[in-house]
Amino acid sequence: MTAFHWFIPGVQDVHEVFDASADQCPQKPALLAYLEQCPPLVEFMDRLVDEEGTEIGSFSIHSDGEWVWPSYVGYYLHRPRYRLRDERLLQHAAARGFAVPTFTAQEAHTLLQRYLHFSKTGQW
């Protein structure tokens, strides 16, 4: 099984992750759809707010089987001119043709166990 790639590990400042003055990314709509449609590994009851106090929505962790990311990534990418500073996740999704994976119940369970292990130990 492929090792997970964690997107945005321990980042506290939105501007460390997103470039708010960037040129538009032509692949942004496809990336947004991919990030939002990939299945969640785990969903929390927590409600997130942005740096201005605006509610983002519920918090979840999504995965495509290789990468994991928090649900708020899409929230920020919906903002005009926002794009990812580190484009490895974009390149990964584009290489897959932005095809959203599906998982069997067993595959989803295994991914969740791997994520839970990471959340406790910091290691995949």
Side-chain angles (χ1 to χ4, degrees):
M1 186 172 277
T2 306
F4 272 139
H5 300 275
W6 173 248
F7 184 72
I8 314 178
V11 171
Q12 301 300 314
D13 184 358
V14 168
H15 300 289
E16 291 178 30
V17 178
F18 302 98
D19 182 354
S21 62
D23 294 331
Q24 284 295 69
C25 172
Q27 296 172 306
K28 188 174 181 177
L31 178 62
L32 277 167
Y34 183 82
L35 295 173
E36 293 171 350
Q37 293 172 14
C38 279
L41 292 180
V42 62
E43 298 177 282
F44 301 93
M45 303 263 311
D46 298 349
R47 303 295 289 175
L48 299 174
V49 294
D50 67 15
E51 67 280 3
E52 298 165 355
T54 303
E55 186 173 312
I56 293 174
S58 61
F59 179 51
S60 56
I61 301 294
H62 294 260
S63 179
D64 63 6
E66 292 183 44
W67 284 75
V68 294
W69 58 90
S71 53
Y72 60 80
V73 173
Y75 172 82
Y76 286 101
L77 286 179
H78 274 287
R79 290 181 173 184
R81 301 185 59 83
Y82 268 55
R83 68 185 296 167
L84 301 173
R85 287 189 183 276
D86 181 342
E87 293 194 344
R88 289 178 296 163
L89 179 56
L90 168 62
Q91 293 163 353
H92 165 76
R96 296 179 130 204
F98 298 101
V100 175
T102 56
F103 303 117
T104 65
Q106 181 58 48
E107 289 169 331
H109 177 76
T110 300
L111 289 170
L112 175 59
Q113 293 307 308
R114 290 179 65 208
Y115 171 74
L116 293 174
H117 173 76
F118 169 77
S119 69
K120 291 178 186 174
T121 66
Q123 298 177 345
W124 294 119

